[in-house]
Each structure stands twice: as structure tokens, then as C-alpha cells.
Amino acid sequence: MFSFINIDENSRIPKYQQIVNVIIQNISNGNLVIDQRIPSINKFSEEFYLSRDTVEKAYNILKERNIISSIKGKGYYITRTKLISKINILFLVNKLSSYKLKIYNSFIDNIGTNAHTDLQIYHCDESLFLNLLNKSKSAYDYFVIMPHFKFDGGKHVSYTEGVIELLKKIPKEKLVILDNFKEGIEGGDIEVFQDFENDIYYALKEAYPKMKKYNNLILFYPTKTVYPYPKRILFGFRKFCFEYNIDFEFFEEVYEDMIIKKGDLFVTIEESDLVTLVKRTREENLVLGKDIGIISYNDTPLKELLGITVVSTDFKKMGEISARMILNKEKGHLKVPFNFIDRASL
């Protein structure tokens, strides 16, 4: 490491600041990497004929900025690899779907050049989430997380005991909860979320006048999937049906040879089910919005292009709001808009 370091005796910059600058520079150009051990205070002072106090002052500044950390009996280690004078953010996403990417891209667009953001995917896996967060909990200024976990054979849970305990160790002012908020769980100072149960309930109520022309309501809601969906979506759907006294059928997926009848109205969650359903509609020479209806959960540009009616969270707004709150140092718990978007398929 010493071959990368130069302390200029003739510089007007204080030597402790030179040490800080040169370590940051070597992290930026890749000479120093995360978890790499750096020389002890004594070794550094001996190598460059500096006082121990000078090196200790530099190391304390680096520790305060969470650039290095110390482990008793082992020494000093690099904690960050992306830093300089920006806000450093860890963005933890449960899956890499088009919806999550829309949130992330909107967040990046709005946070701008003021921050460096590391994106990590934990695939709804509690162990991976805990490992990523534990490893990084002293290395970032903000932790933006979307809490969705697979538990007990594939069920969806918002939080586990292990997750709750770890989140308690992160200062609330550094914690940003996105997408999934749950009453009774102490989260961060910033929470920007959707209300899965009531969102779909009220969106379907808005769609009801156009739904009445159909005879049968069928929901495709997968319960056995790699990335489970919150049961609150199903609860909201059932609440709507019970209130309007609507009988409905429930299926795990759209089968390739599934029988489709005139007067059917389908609600799909997964993209693959929507694709199969549109293909079956065309094979049967049925007209969307006339012979059968489709409402899809969560909007995409392709659904807009195909004229598919949707009920959807405003994912772009979620990214915008959370970035703005970080930049303005705001606090608050905000629910993002959830919309019924009427198109040709209904």
C-alpha cells in the first residue's frame, strides 16, 4: 500500500489532511478495496517519519466519515469503496422487476449527482438481506430498503424477527422504507409506501361501473412463486367482491388450453399470465373490451401500448418522493398514489 502513498513535505496542506486525501484517492482509483486492511498508526508514522498524533488525527477523520473502521486487536480496514463528498446510499431491492427498476431509476434521476447509490438485490431472501445489511451498516449515509421476504415454504412476509432486530440497530434518520409499510413496526424517518389491501379495493371500486357488463370475475393470483406477492392484495380483492356481492373464481395461473368464455373478466397479477391470456383470447377470436375483459396489476409501457387496463401504483412517484425527502432532510410517512387506468381491455 505504501507504494501508492506520497506525503509532500513542502505542501501547504496539513499532513493529516494529505493522509485523508491520499487514502480517498486510492479508494477512488481502485488501489484500495472494501475490507482491505491498511497499516496501523505506528507503521504509517514510522514509514513516513510522521508523528503518531498526525496519523491518528487522519484516521479519526476517516473513521468519522465511515471510510475506514477499526477492529480491536486486528487493525484498520477500508469500509467504503464509493465515496468522495457525496451522500452514500445503499439501495436494497427484493427483486429485479420492471416495477422495482422504475422506482430505482426514478430515484437515481431525482437524487442526481448529489449521491452515490449502490444497488443490491436480495431476492426476498432473509439471510441474504441480513448479510448485506450487516456488512454495510456502518458504510452508508442512507439505507433504502423494500421489505418483502419469502418465509415458511414460500409465503410472503413484510418483516421477520431477524430483520426487525437489525433495523433497530440502524439510526432512524438513515433508514428509508419504500414500497411496503406495516403498522406496528418501527421503521425509518422516511417511509414511502403503497397500501396493498386498500389500494386494489378502491381501484376496483372505481372500475366497477365498467366491470358490471361482464358475467364472471376470475382472479389469477400465484401463491407458489419464486417472489411471493403480499396476501393483502388478495384481501383487498375479496373485500371488494364481498361488498358488491360478486362471485369470483380463483386460479394459480392461466393454463395454455384454459377455456375462455364470452362475458369473462380476468384480473392478472403476473406478466406471464397476462401474455398467455392475450394469446388465448386471440386464438378464440375474442375481442378485448367487448367479449372479455382484462385488468392487470401494475402498469408497464407494454401494457399501455397493448391497451391493457391496469390498477397500479405510481412507481415513478415513489422514487421521486424518497429522493426529494433525502435531499431536503425531510421526515414523514407518505402513501403514493394508486390508480385505475382505463384502457381498451375493459
Side-chain angles (χ1 to χ4, degrees), residues 83-140:
L83 31 97
I84 313 306
S85 60
K86 298 181 178 182
I87 302 168
N88 287 275
I89 301 169
L90 179 63
F91 204 102
L92 276 171
V93 180
N94 62 302
K95 63 179 178 180
L96 201 59
S97 67
S98 60
Y99 317 118
K100 307 296 181 177
L101 280 176
K102 186 179 286 189
I103 299 171
Y104 175 73
N105 289 332
S106 175
F107 180 86
I108 293 300
D109 288 345
N110 285 275
I111 206 77
T113 58
N114 301 287
H116 172 85
T117 304
D118 288 329
L119 175 65
Q120 295 282 357
I121 318 298
Y122 67 91
H123 303 288
C124 296
D125 185 290
E126 179 196 20
S127 297
L128 182 55
F129 176 88
L130 294 175
N131 183 51
L132 287 169
L133 199 53
N134 247 321
K135 185 177 179 181
S136 308
K137 66 178 184 288
S138 62
Y140 292 89

Side-chain angles (χ1 to χ4, degrees), residues 177-217:
I177 307 293
L178 287 193
D179 194 39
N180 190 15
F181 165 75
K182 189 174 181 182
E183 292 287 350
I185 301 296
E186 187 175 350
D189 281 346
I190 300 174
E191 292 179 345
V192 185
F193 58 93
Q194 54 179 316
D195 181 348
F196 292 96
E197 181 173 340
N198 288 314
D199 281 346
I200 192 170
Y201 167 73
Y202 285 111
L204 290 175
K205 284 187 72 169
E206 187 179 346
Y208 180 65
K210 295 199 70 174
M211 295 171 66
K212 289 193 292 184
K213 68 181 181 182
Y214 296 99
N215 303 320
N216 309 299
L217 181 59

Side-chain angles (χ1 to χ4, degrees), residues 283-300:
E283 289 167 359
E284 297 294 327
N285 295 315
L286 298 171
V287 179
L288 277 177
K290 181 181 177 183
D291 299 324
I292 73 161
I294 295 178
I295 299 174
S296 186
Y297 191 82
N298 286 336
D299 198 17
T300 65

Side-chain angles (χ1 to χ4, degrees), residues 70-75:
S70 60
I71 301 176
K72 191 173 182 179
K74 292 187 176 181

